[in-house]
């Protein structure tokens, strides 16, 4: 029984701000989000998942880590999936994050801008968004199961939800 | 990489001196506010790559109780006072002269005690920054939030992230009757505040180089004529 538990244990890999990580099988990719957005892609057939911790919408040509901006993260994720032999037609996306924790009401709504940019880029790339949990004013802790593609979302004061 | 605001070791040292001075003022105020129970010390002023900032300052997926105070306007920033739940309630109880609360929900009085603590600390830091950059700062009302520490810290880092891959953070620790406790204050300046601080510090450095005989005091980075030895009283 104990041995079985050990063999089935998931390996957690934390994805920091602006990073992209790819995992397979029992790997679980985790991130903690405020206005940042976790963009996940998954191939059910290959049991490969990828998570980008996107901070801002537009790179405007700046030379930063590709995961930092939506417009550089999505192409990089697709390139990494292609390198892992995952056809684009098999990829399913899920999204979480984009909160407005400080409740600011000005014209610059970073979380909202992130979600809009990501949604548009995924649509242009022909990647369906199967589920999302975005907006609000609370942080999120997310965990992508690379085997199933399910995205578990925890928020302070709420029971965990699973986006299947 | 777009590290436009990479701070030199010399500038970091001067920033450290600035925040050490501000922390000294805040500590004096906090000591009075808590009847000698609590003091503060500056842990670090660091530039950290964005991807590792939360792990480097040890604020990750723990649910924390926080008081956030924003310095509004372009030359601004966020100050975040963090506690774990137990320590936050202990401070509130000590300030209120009550038993430590046991219900799941914080009472309005407990929230108010912590919020006022954030206000006092924020004012002490703001007074020190005002003396340095000689610009009026506009603090928001402090507010109480319970959330993942990393979520709140990341949100505070957004303005720096727009122009840099590095984050400048000032971290302060607390001591209760000499023992370190799990409370922290983070100050995250906007890029404009960083620029203003660094300009002021550059000027101070030049003055220091020109008048080395005056450089023994730690407050030398403060522009001439803006020292205020009674500054800790400004917070009230």
């Amino acid at each position: 029984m104990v041995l079985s538990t050990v063999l089935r244990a998931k390996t957690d890999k934390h994805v920091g701000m602006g990073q992209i990580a790819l995992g397979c099988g029992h790997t679980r990719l985790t991130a903690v989000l405020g206005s940042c957005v976790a963009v996940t892609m998954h191939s059910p057939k290959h049991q490969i998942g990828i998570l980008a911790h996107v901070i801002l919408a537009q790179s405007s040509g700046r030379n930063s880590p590709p995961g930092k901006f939506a417009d550089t993260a999505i192409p990089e994720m697709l390139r990494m999936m292609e390198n892992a032999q995952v056809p684009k037609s098999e990829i399913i996306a899920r999204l979480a994050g984009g909160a407005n924790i400080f409740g600011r009401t000005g014209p610059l709504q970073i979380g909202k801008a992130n979600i809009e940019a990501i949604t548009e880029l995924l649509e242009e790339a022909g990647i369906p968004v199967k589920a999302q949990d975005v907006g609000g004013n609370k942080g999120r802790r997310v965990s992508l199961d690379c085997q199933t593609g399910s995205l578990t979302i925890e928020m302070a004061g709420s029971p965990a939800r699973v986006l299947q | 990489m777009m590290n436009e605001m990479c701070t030199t070791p010399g500038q970091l040292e001067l920033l450290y001196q600035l925040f050490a001075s501000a922390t000294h003022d805040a500590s004096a105020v906090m000591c009075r506010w808590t009847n000698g129970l609590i003091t503060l010390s500056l842990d670090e002023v660091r530039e950290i790559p964005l991807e590792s900032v939360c792990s480097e300052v040890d604020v990750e997926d723990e649910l924390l109780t926080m008081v956030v105070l924003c310095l509004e306007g372009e030359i601004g920033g966020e100050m975040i006072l963090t506690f774990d739940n137990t320590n936050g309630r202990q401070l509130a109880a000590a300030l209120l002269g009550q038993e430590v609360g046991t219900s799941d929900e914080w009472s309005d009085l407990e929230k108010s005690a912590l919020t006022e603590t954030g206000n006092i600390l924020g004012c002490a830091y703001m007074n020190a920054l005002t003396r340095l950059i000689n610009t009026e700062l506009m603090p928001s009302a402090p507010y109480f939030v319970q959330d993942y520490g990393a979520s709140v810290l990341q949100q505070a880092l957004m303005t720096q992230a727009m122009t840099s891959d590095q984050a400048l953070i000032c971290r302060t620790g607390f001591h209760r009757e000499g023992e370190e406790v799990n409370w922290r204050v983070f100050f995250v300046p906007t890029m404009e505040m960083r620029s203003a601080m660094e300009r002021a510090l550059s000027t101070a450095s030049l003055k220091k180089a020109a008048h080395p005989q005056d450089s023994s005091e730690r407050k030398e980075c403060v522009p001439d004529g803006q020292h205020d030895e009674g500054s800790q009283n400004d917070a009230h």
Side-chain angles (χ1 to χ4, degrees):
Chain A
M1 190 65 183
V2 172
L3 180 62
S4 166
T5 303
V6 170
L7 289 174
R8 286 181 187 175
K10 302 273 182 187
T11 308
D12 280 6
K13 179 173 171 49
H14 185 73
V15 185
M17 291 174 80
Q19 290 186 318
I20 301 175
L22 185 136
C24 58
H26 293 294
T27 304
R28 207 160 37 193
L29 303 174
T30 68
V32 182
L33 310 163
S35 59
C36 296
V37 176
V39 183
T40 74
M41 295 181 184
H42 181 253
S43 162
K45 184 178 170 187
H46 290 74
Q47 297 187 358
I48 289 176
I50 187 167
L51 188 154
H53 186 152
V54 174
I55 304 172
L56 295 163
Q58 302 290 339
S59 64
S60 305
R62 285 173 290 195
N63 184 21
S64 285
K68 181 173 176 180
F69 298 102
D71 63 348
T72 50
I74 306 286
E76 177 65 8
M77 293 173 82
L78 291 172
R79 190 191 65 76
M80 289 171 74
M81 290 295 259
E82 189 180 351
N83 285 351
Q85 310 296 318
V86 177
K88 200 167 152 185
S89 58
E90 284 183 13
I91 298 173
I92 292 165
R94 294 172 182 83
L95 310 177
N100 180 11
I101 292 179
F102 295 163
R104 289 194 172 131
T105 54
L108 183 60
Q109 298 289 323
I110 292 172
K112 191 175 170 209
N114 285 343
I115 295 157
E116 286 172 359
I118 289 161
T119 304
E120 195 177 318
L121 287 158
L122 289 170
E123 194 177 325
E124 281 172 13
I127 307 296
V129 178
K130 189 177 180 193
Q132 61 179 17
D133 185 285
V134 296
N137 60 2
K138 285 276 188 186
R140 292 171 172 86
R141 183 181 188 280
V142 301
S143 171
L144 172 67
D145 184 326
C146 292
Q147 192 168 30
T148 66
S150 67
L151 188 62
T152 303
I153 296 160
E154 297 163 86
M155 292 170 79
S158 306
R161 294 189 295 281
V162 181
L163 302 184
Q164 297 290 353
Chain B
M1 300 297 159
M2 50 182 262
N3 298 324
E4 292 95 335
M5 286 302 294
C6 209
T7 307
T8 66
Q11 285 173 319
L12 275 179
E13 174 57 28
L14 286 168
L15 284 172
Y16 186 90
Q17 289 176 22
L18 164 75
F19 284 111
S21 172
T23 303
H24 177 266
D25 291 355
S27 185
V29 173
M30 194 68 186
C31 193
R32 283 200 301 276
W33 171 240
T34 59
N35 291 321
L37 190 66
I38 306 296
T39 55
L40 288 83
S41 63
L42 181 62
D43 287 344
E44 59 181 356
V45 178
R46 277 178 74 190
E47 227 180 13
I48 307 169
L50 280 173
E51 66 266 21
S52 56
V53 64
C54 293
S55 57
E56 288 284 321
V57 300
D58 202 20
V59 172
E60 296 191 83
D61 57 1
E62 189 183 2
L63 283 169
L64 295 175
T65 297
M66 290 165 273
V67 176
V68 179
L69 188 137
C70 304
L71 297 182
E72 293 170 340
E74 283 196 348
I75 297 181
E78 259 86 30
M79 198 196 78
I80 307 166
L81 173 61
T82 75
F83 308 88
D84 61 35
N85 194 56
T86 305
N87 276 292
R89 293 199 103 152
Q90 283 174 351
L91 173 62
L95 291 171
L96 296 167
Q98 295 180 347
E99 293 290 311
V100 177
T102 52
S103 65
D104 289 343
E105 290 287 317
W106 282 56
S107 71
D108 287 345
L109 210 53
E110 286 177 306
K111 290 180 186 177
S112 177
L114 279 208
T115 305
E116 185 54 24
T117 304
N119 197 32
I120 286 169
L121 289 176
C123 286
Y125 277 100
M126 196 183 65
N127 289 336
L129 288 169
T130 299
R131 287 198 303 277
L132 174 76
I133 63 173
N134 199 21
T135 300
E136 190 178 347
L137 300 172
M138 299 281 289
S140 70
Y143 61 93
F144 180 93
V145 56
Q146 289 179 299
D147 210 326
Y148 295 109
S151 298
V152 174
L153 186 58
Q154 284 173 22
Q155 183 97 41
L157 290 167
M158 281 302 124
T159 60
Q160 290 197 38
M162 286 178 190
T163 48
S164 179
D165 297 332
Q166 306 273 325
L168 179 77
I169 287 195
C170 159
R171 182 174 66 162
T172 302
F174 287 77
H175 303 266
R176 182 168 50 203
E177 296 174 323
E179 297 277 320
E180 191 172 351
V181 287
N182 187 20
W183 313 352
R184 295 279 180 269
V185 178
F186 296 96
F187 178 69
V188 184
T190 60
M191 291 309 291
E192 291 77 10
M193 173 68 90
R194 279 185 68 173
S195 300
M197 287 193 298
E198 286 168 7
R199 276 197 304 275
L201 292 170
S202 298
T203 307
S205 294
L206 290 173
K207 285 181 183 170
K208 190 172 166 182
H211 303 285
Q213 69 276 17
D214 298 331
S215 64
S216 58
E217 293 297 319
R218 68 174 181 179
K219 286 190 179 179
E220 283 303 306
C221 58
V222 178
D224 286 349
Q226 293 177 48
H227 283 289
D228 179 3
E229 293 304 321
S231 59
Q232 59 267 43
N233 297 323
D234 298 349
H236 291 299

